[in-house]
């Protein structure tokens, strides 16, 4: 079953703008990860944030985690056409390594 | 390229036929996972191995599905008597295990079409 839920389902922005998407989940987690998937391809790991962390950065990516609200956000700054993809959040639980994914946010970056 | 490879990349088969997919994980990773993804959805967990031991299977994995990981290296996923509902992308992932953060690295997937 899908544990996470991304919002919005789709997002269209101009190149250079920032893109923000949110993920909510239902049960307590150990880690939360964000992945990118280009059309019809495999998933690329972007960033992992542990349940005891609140914010993490990697290049143009910023992830926040609020365990009290069971939610996370992914911010992509200064978007590029190459950022066009679907973005998924995935959670795992303590001593349970399988990932539970949401349905994803489809991001389109217009040139 | 994440270092996880899957073969074949595409498979078209007729209903009722058996199919087998292969996954080669990153060599030092001891955990290997199979997921299934249908159009417009996120991946759903099927099963996972720690070394050669299959530790968990999803209820999605009916008795027509079997997975193996002999010698804790590559893994195979076999679907017997395929049905049209089996059409999906089958994704393999691997992770290092231990005290790592459970980052899972995915292969390119095998897209199965059952006619």
């Amino acid at each position: 079953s899908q544990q996470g839920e991304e919002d919005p389902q789709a997002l269209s922005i101009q190149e250079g703008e920032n893109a923000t998407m949110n993920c909510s989940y239902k049960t307590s987690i150990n880690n939360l990860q964000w992945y990118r998937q280009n059309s019809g391809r495999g998933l690329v790991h972007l960033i992992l944030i542990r349940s005891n962390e609140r914010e993490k950065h990697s290049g143009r990516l910023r992830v926040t985690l609020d365990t009290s609200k069971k939610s996370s956000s992914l911010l992509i700054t200064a978007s590029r056409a190459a950022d066009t993809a679907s973005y998924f959040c995935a959670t795992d639980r303590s001593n349970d390594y399988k990932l539970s994914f949401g349905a994803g946010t489809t991001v389109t970056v217009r040139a | 390229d994440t270092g996880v490879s899957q073969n074949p990349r595409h498979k078209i088969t007729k209903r009722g036929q058996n199919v087998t997919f292969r996954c080669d994980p990153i060599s030092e990773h001891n955990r290997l996972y199979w997921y299934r993804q249908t159009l417009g959805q996120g991946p759903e967990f099927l099963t996972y191995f720690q070394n050669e031991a299959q530790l968990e299977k999803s209820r999605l994995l009916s008795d027509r599905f079997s997975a193996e990981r002999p010698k804790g290296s590559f893994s195979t996923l076999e679907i017997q008597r395929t049905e049209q509902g089996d059409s999906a992308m089958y994704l393999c992932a691997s992770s290092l295990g231990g005290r790592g953060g459970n980052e899972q690295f995915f292969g390119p997937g095998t897209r199965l079409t059952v006619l």
Side-chain angles (χ1 to χ4, degrees):
Chain A
S1 62
Q2 307 265 280
Q3 143 96 309
E5 189 173 310
E6 286 91 343
D7 170 62
Q9 288 186 329
L11 183 59
S12 180
I13 55 173
Q14 201 74 30
E15 202 166 26
E17 292 180 338
N18 296 343
T20 300
M21 60 211 86
N22 303 296
C23 167
S24 58
Y25 55 91
K26 298 171 186 172
T27 61
S28 61
I29 63 169
N30 198 34
N31 302 293
L32 186 144
Q33 304 182 55
W34 285 91
Y35 287 85
R36 183 186 74 225
Q37 185 177 39
N38 293 89
S39 181
R41 309 283 292 275
L43 282 82
V44 174
H45 183 266
L46 296 177
I47 198 164
L48 178 148
I49 187 165
R50 299 176 194 261
S51 60
N52 61 356
E53 296 176 315
R54 291 296 165 257
E55 187 170 317
K56 210 161 181 181
H57 297 253
S58 176
R60 294 184 296 112
L61 306 179
R62 173 178 168 254
V63 169
T64 63
L65 178 64
D66 186 338
T67 52
S68 67
K69 295 181 179 177
K70 293 187 170 57
S71 68
S72 173
S73 68
L74 171 66
L75 167 68
I76 305 173
T77 60
S79 62
R80 305 168 182 168
D83 295 328
T84 294
S86 292
Y87 292 82
F88 295 91
C89 68
T91 58
D92 62 57
R93 298 163 67 176
S94 184
N95 297 319
D96 185 358
Y97 305 108
K98 64 180 181 287
L99 297 180
S100 295
F101 286 83
T105 293
T106 300
V107 175
T108 303
V109 181
R110 305 185 307 272
Chain B
D1 183 359
T2 63
V4 179
S5 61
Q6 291 187 246
N7 287 288
R9 295 290 305 277
H10 302 273
K11 179 71 177 178
I12 300 173
T13 191
K14 292 183 179 179
R15 190 175 52 188
Q17 298 294 304
N18 299 344
V19 294
T20 300
F21 310 141
R22 177 178 170 127
C23 171
D24 286 88
I26 295 171
S27 58
E28 62 267 29
H29 285 185
N30 60 11
R31 293 196 188 124
L32 185 149
Y33 312 79
W34 286 98
Y35 294 85
R36 182 172 69 188
Q37 185 179 25
T38 54
L39 200 61
Q41 298 297 314
E44 290 183 295
F45 169 77
L46 292 179
T47 188
Y48 99 91
F49 293 82
Q50 178 143 330
N51 300 312
E52 65 274 10
Q54 188 174 17
L55 295 187
E56 188 172 348
K57 293 195 291 186
S58 162
R59 289 171 295 174
L60 293 175
L61 216 64
S62 76
D63 56 8
R64 296 185 297 106
F65 288 70
S66 62
E68 293 182 341
R69 192 183 183 197
K71 302 177 185 176
S73 56
F74 70 92
S75 175
T76 58
L77 178 68
E78 181 183 16
I79 309 174
Q80 296 183 326
R81 305 181 303 281
T82 53
E83 301 172 356
Q84 287 184 324
D86 297 332
S87 295
M89 175 81 90
Y90 289 84
L91 294 163
C92 173
S94 68
S95 69
L96 190 56
R99 291 188 174 183
N102 197 30
E103 287 95 336
Q104 294 185 18
F105 296 90
F106 282 78
T110 294
R111 183 170 295 284
L112 174 66
T113 302
V114 182
L115 303 176

